[in-house]
Amino acid sequence: MQDPKPVYLTKEALQKLKEELHYLRTTERARIAKAIAEARGHGDLSENAEYDAAKEAQSHLEARIAQIEQTIANARIVDENKIDTTKAYIFSTVRVKNLKTGDEQLFTLVSPQEVDLAAGKISVNSPIGKGLLGRSVGDIVEVKVPAGKIQLQILEITR
């Protein structure tokens, strides 16, 4: 079995995951266990839709708990103050210009667990994120997106 890949997170993101894990293990497990017990009380389990739904919810919950536990186990905290701003790396904020439209956009490169498109936080695994990683101010990157290929010029990199 290969070593798991590290997951780079800020301290805040790791703390949020730990809080979510605690909530799921305590509150949500208890809520679903209660729902399963109530559904069992309705008799025949072979045609009990409530029971099936509660068991499916339990399955989804346990999968999410396992996913968070795996992420936490592989987490590596990144000190944002030590990020090199000469190149685009995880947690860099990159201002780019779309060379076709002239529009400027600001992206912050984050781990997949921290994506927030409304806040401009994109995954380092996304097409644009991959295109920007390791690049410098002035570089022009061609990125394949669902709408086709776009050319972005890096105007500024900050942290």
Side-chain angles (χ1 to χ4, degrees):
M1 190 171 147
Q2 68 184 32
D3 286 338
K5 285 186 174 182
V7 178
Y8 297 100
L9 300 171
T10 59
K11 276 193 259 186
E12 295 79 18
L14 181 60
Q15 185 58 39
K16 277 185 183 176
L17 281 176
K18 287 179 178 180
E19 289 167 6
E20 181 183 356
L21 182 60
H22 176 74
Y23 172 77
L24 294 177
R25 284 178 171 165
T26 56
T27 306
E28 281 300 297
R29 269 187 178 157
R31 184 186 65 76
I32 289 175
K34 182 179 176 189
I36 290 171
E38 285 177 8
R40 269 197 187 117
H42 295 150
D44 184 11
L45 298 181
S46 64
E47 293 185 23
N48 188 331
E50 280 182 46
Y51 179 77
D52 292 341
K55 289 299 281 182
E56 186 172 330
Q58 181 183 42
S59 174
H60 288 293
L61 174 69
E62 294 305 323
R64 177 68 181 144
I65 287 172
Q67 178 189 32
I68 293 173
E69 288 172 340
Q70 182 73 32
T71 299
I72 290 172
N74 297 324
R76 303 290 179 270
I77 300 299
V78 175
D79 183 348
E80 294 178 77
N81 296 321
K82 295 182 180 175
I83 294 173
D84 175 5
T85 57
T86 63
K87 293 192 182 294
Y89 294 114
I90 192 164
F91 303 122
S92 295
T93 298
V94 184
R95 189 165 54 93
V96 298
K97 180 178 184 177
N98 182 320
L99 295 180
K100 183 177 181 182
T101 65
D103 293 339
E104 289 187 16
Q105 287 182 284
L106 204 59
F107 296 114
T108 300
L109 303 176
V110 297
S111 67
Q113 293 75 16
E114 296 181 81
V115 169
D116 180 351
L117 297 178
K121 294 181 177 184
I122 63 170
S123 170
V124 291
N125 296 339
S126 70
I128 292 174
K130 286 179 181 177
L132 296 175
L133 273 179
R135 304 304 290 266
S136 302
V137 172
D139 286 357
I140 295 173
V141 296
E142 188 170 273
V143 180
K144 189 175 179 183
V145 294
K149 289 184 179 179
I150 58 172
Q151 286 191 323
L152 302 172
Q153 182 176 21
I154 300 175
L155 303 176
E156 181 183 30
I157 299 171
T158 57
R159 60 177 166 83

